[in-house]
Amino acid sequence: MSDRKAWLGQPYLDELRPDHLETVRLALFATYSVDLSAVAATLLALIGRNNDEGSGTAVDFAQAIDKLRGKVTIVIQRGHIARPKALPRIAGILDQFVVEQHHDEESRSWHPKIALIAYDCPGDRVRWKLWIGSRNLTRSRDLDAGVLLDGSPKRAKGRVRLPGVGAMGASLARDAHRSDSAALAAELESLWWEAPAGFAVRALLNGLDEGVALPAGPPAGLIESITVISPFLSADFVKAAGKWGPDDARTLISSMPALVDMANRAGKPLSGFSKILAYAAPDVLFEEEAADLPGSDPVTEDDEEPVPLALHAKVYCFDMGEQTILRVGSANATSRAWSGRNSEIMVELAAGEEFRRGVDFLVGKATPVTLEELRAIAPSDMSSADALEASRKRLMTSWDPVLLRDGDLFSIDAQQIPQLADASHRLQVGHANGDLLAWPREGTVLKLGVVTLPHQSAFIQICIAGPDRDLRWMQRVEVRPPLEPERDLAALASHMGLRAFHDWMRAMLNGDTLPVDGTLWDEDPGKSPKRRDGRSFDRLTLEDILSAWARDRKAFGRVDRYFALYVDALLTHGDNLSEAERLDLNELAQIWAIARARLAS
């Protein structure tokens, strides 16, 4: 939240950027859902190359893939990758950064939102960042909240130990399929952690492991008032929270669809709250108990009406006189979130008046509602959406698909007949960079055809079509045998084209300076005017190479390890290269060979 009257904060991506001369050693993320544009934006931020729109150039993207391979893992709930209408083909290589958590959502969801990052700094120093909040790794503009803690091996004023952070890190590392969970846990437990100004860390509430419940009750002490902020609600949790603190000092801030649902429930779960305020429903791919939230369809950019403020933050505030105890993180105000059925994470802090101003901002932007008004609103008919969601959950529990590869020939093996909850629903599946194909009735294998090396990916796309709407998403699956190691090389070379290749080589020779070419990473090859104008850019020359070597004699060797591989890949997989561009590339290869001979002598 950037309003000056709200909590002080920074854009999420800006907080991930390393400082000058820093590099990312390790970055682990936990999220319920992702979209691949947000994954790319995260990688670009981790090398300091994201622009104001959260994007970057094709050269930036290639740099991010190369520098962060093996260092970054994003753990998500299985089947919660958004499938945009226009997916850049190059996005398929982001599969190496995504690991799916195979919780059965009928009983349990992977729901934490965590960013844990280690930065290698000059002088052999290491610093850490731990972010815990409500934001998924998506492009959502909903109101979210999170807390950023800075970790250091050195003790200093304002820094404290954070018991349990090692266990949290170890769980996350195991879920990311890393082998260093024990070493990571030991290092994290040894760190000293600092909260934002005006806040003090009290505890880490770790509910990542199965069956581990969060402390749902209020903190000990005299409570003067409470404020519960959550877009999703369950009747039993809300009724229990309606007994915390004084009768006339309880505030509930939630989404309008959730409040309408609660107001029409038996048992009057909202009756314990003296003040009830509403926001629009959050923009969700899939969210827990989303079927209870009619009207939660995201607003498209084509809509003429202004987008209303939507709530996705999960914050629990306990006013205890001179200070406020707050819990911030991923857990909604539902029994499923706090009872151990979900994997969740929260952090408990103490705050002063500054935090109260943030709560007042949220209250001021929300719409006050009464129980009578909520009861007068009929819940929207979401039967068709509910039916699709039921089929999705049935499918996710009935199959574990595998991509089978015979050279460039692909097929999907579901390993058993896929099951849907509604017989009228139709299942369509395809490769991430291919077309959706109807799944054969009573079949277990779907043939996808040829997928060339630059476009191969471990992502597949799924669609369940109903009579009046459909439900689409992507999954990351196992590929047998695994994709060739040269896949990234082929994909990046094919995607960048000649202009960006010249620019990348020059950038690395000049010490990783920002590239000149402004072609964005998600523009398809051949469609950018800059790429079509292949003769209008500044080419890499022998003088450029020799000048860079004079400034930094290691620069040439650093770039040389890429050069021949990418030239070969461009010539082999550069389908959009013209004959003139192929001649240009061969000329550049000859120039490079001359430089190599001179500099090696």
Side-chain angles (χ1 to χ4, degrees):
M1 301 176 187
S2 58
D3 192 293
R4 292 185 179 181
K5 295 180 182 179
W7 299 307
L8 294 177
Q10 284 288 104
Y12 179 81
L13 291 178
D14 287 354
E15 291 294 349
L16 303 183
R17 292 172 66 98
D19 289 342
H20 183 58
L21 298 180
E22 291 183 349
T23 57
V24 170
R25 188 185 88 189
L26 166 73
L28 299 178
F29 295 85
T31 180
Y32 182 70
S33 57
V34 301
D35 69 55
L36 295 183
S37 292
V39 173
T42 300
L43 298 179
L44 291 165
L46 290 173
I47 66 165
R49 291 291 181 83
N50 61 309
N51 59 25
D52 292 341
E53 287 75 38
S55 187
T57 69
V59 174
D60 296 329
F61 184 77
Q63 295 274 59
I65 297 297
D66 180 66
K67 291 184 176 182
L68 299 175
R69 186 182 292 111
K71 298 179 180 179
V72 178
T73 305
I74 301 165
V75 184
I76 71 165
Q77 172 64 41
R78 182 171 72 144
H80 286 265
I81 305 171
R83 179 59 168 91
K85 291 181 179 178
L87 180 71
R89 288 181 178 272
I90 191 63
I93 70 173
L94 296 174
D95 56 1
Q96 62 196 287
F97 300 102
V98 176
V99 171
E100 291 196 330
Q101 177 65 270
H102 285 214
H103 288 347
D104 180 353
E105 288 198 86
E106 293 284 0
S107 57
R108 184 183 178 203
S109 294
W110 173 259
H111 199 253
K113 285 81 175 172
I114 303 170
L116 177 65
I117 309 170
Y119 302 88
D120 286 325
C121 312
D124 294 327
R125 295 184 300 108
V126 178
R127 71 182 182 99
W128 290 79
K129 285 187 176 183
L130 172 60
W131 179 90
I132 293 173
S134 62
R135 182 181 178 83
N136 287 305
L137 211 54
T138 68
R139 292 169 292 177
S140 169
R141 296 184 179 181
D142 297 339
L143 291 173
D144 275 296
V147 175
L148 181 67
L149 306 179
D150 291 305
S152 172
K154 295 184 178 181
R155 184 176 184 176
K157 184 178 179 181
R159 295 177 185 169
V160 298
R161 298 287 196 193
L162 187 57
V165 68
M168 180 214 72
S171 293
L172 193 54
R174 288 192 296 269
D175 291 327
H177 302 162
R178 293 183 63 94
S179 60
D180 59 351
S181 59
L184 178 61
E187 183 171 3
L188 290 171
E189 285 290 343
S190 71
L191 298 177
W192 296 88
W193 297 89
E194 184 176 3
F199 293 82
V201 182
R202 284 170 53 94
L204 180 67
L205 311 181
N206 178 12
L208 296 185
D209 293 333
E210 184 173 5
V212 177
L214 299 174
L222 181 61
I223 297 174
E224 296 183 0
S225 67
I226 71 161
T227 302
V228 174
I229 303 169
S230 172
F232 300 91
L233 308 171
S234 72
D236 47 0
F237 187 94
V238 171
K239 194 167 186 66
K243 299 176 182 178
W244 299 343
D247 289 342
D248 58 349
R250 303 187 193 110
T251 299
L252 176 63
I253 306 176
S254 188
S255 64
M256 180 64 85
L259 292 171
V260 169
D261 178 50
M262 290 296 106
N264 287 278
R265 294 286 185 103
K268 301 179 179 179
L270 298 179
S271 60
F273 288 88
S274 53
K275 184 184 293 186
I276 302 173
L277 302 113
Y279 276 93
D283 177 5
V284 294
L285 171 63
F286 306 106
E287 183 58 280
E288 71 160 350
E289 302 183 14
D292 291 337
L293 296 182
S296 62
D297 292 340
V299 179
T300 68
E301 294 180 358
D302 295 332
D303 289 334
E304 296 180 359
E305 293 295 325
V307 178
L309 281 175
L311 181 72
H312 194 250
K314 290 89 171 170
V315 184
Y316 304 80
C317 318
F318 305 90
D319 188 351
M320 307 182 77
E322 294 184 357
Q323 69 175 1
T324 298
I325 305 301
L326 64 140
R327 294 168 181 168
V328 182
S330 64
N332 285 296
T334 65
S335 58
R336 176 167 173 150
W338 291 84
S339 66
R341 289 181 62 193
N342 281 357
S343 294
E344 306 276 4
I345 193 77
M346 303 289 286
V347 62
E348 184 175 283
L349 306 103
E353 185 58 31
E354 185 70 27
F355 176 79
R356 292 301 315 172
R357 286 196 288 271
V359 174
D360 292 342
F361 166 82
L362 273 180
V363 169
K365 294 291 185 180
T367 301
V369 292
T370 65
L371 288 175
E372 291 72 21
E373 291 171 336
L374 293 171
R375 293 187 187 115
I377 301 174
S380 300
D381 181 10
M382 290 292 289
S383 56
S384 61
D386 292 345
L388 285 171
E389 178 63 13
S391 280
R392 185 189 72 84
K393 288 183 176 180
R394 175 73 63 83
L395 175 67
M396 298 304 288
T397 59
S398 67
W399 79 338
D400 188 12
V402 175
L403 264 177
L404 302 179
R405 183 177 69 86
D406 181 7
D408 290 346
L409 196 62
F410 280 74
S411 59
I412 297 177
D413 184 357
Q415 304 191 73
Q416 57 181 313
I417 297 174
Q419 302 293 319
L420 302 179
D422 190 321
S424 69
H425 290 165
R426 294 173 289 107
L427 176 64
Q428 297 172 304
V429 185
H431 187 267
N433 285 321
D435 296 327
L436 283 169
L437 304 172
W439 192 270
R441 185 176 297 275
E442 302 301 315
T444 60
V445 175
L446 176 65
K447 295 182 179 181
L448 302 178
V450 172
V451 183
T452 57
L453 184 61
H455 303 142
Q456 292 176 10
S457 174
F459 290 136
I460 63 172
Q461 56 175 317
I462 302 102
C463 174
I464 299 177
D468 58 353
R469 64 172 70 190
D470 57 36
L471 190 59
R472 298 170 182 254
W473 71 96
M474 294 173 64
Q475 284 184 242
R476 190 199 187 283
V477 299
E478 180 186 356
V479 183
R480 298 177 186 168
L483 298 177
E484 299 292 342
E486 295 80 15
R487 187 279 308 263
D488 285 6
L489 191 70
L492 290 170
S494 174
H495 181 70
M496 283 194 301
L498 185 59
R499 178 191 184 98
F501 177 71
H502 274 270
D503 209 31
W504 187 21
M505 295 298 104
R506 180 180 287 105
M508 288 196 292
L509 282 171
N510 293 332
D512 224 18
T513 56
L514 290 175
V516 176
D517 180 34
T519 304
L520 296 179
W521 76 270
D522 53 358
E523 292 184 24
D524 283 330
K527 294 184 179 180
S528 168
K530 292 180 180 179
R531 296 188 184 200
R532 290 195 295 269
D533 188 10
R535 304 297 298 179
S536 64
F537 62 91
D538 189 17
R539 284 164 174 72
L540 191 64
T541 65
L542 181 59
E543 287 73 21
D544 292 329
I545 299 170
L546 296 177
S547 296
W549 180 83
R551 290 190 302 270
D552 180 3
R553 297 196 174 193
K554 294 182 179 179
F556 182 83
R558 184 171 60 241
V559 181
D560 191 39
R561 69 186 180 95
Y562 292 92
F563 184 82
L565 293 172
Y566 270 87
V567 167
D568 289 344
L570 272 167
L571 292 172
T572 303
H573 304 290
D575 297 336
N576 293 292
L577 290 179
S578 66
E579 285 303 315
E581 288 173 326
R582 289 180 179 275
L583 288 173
D584 185 296
L585 193 57
N586 281 307
E587 289 175 8
L588 178 59
Q590 293 173 12
I591 292 171
W592 197 271
I594 293 171
R596 183 186 293 114
R598 288 191 183 184
L599 298 180
S601 61

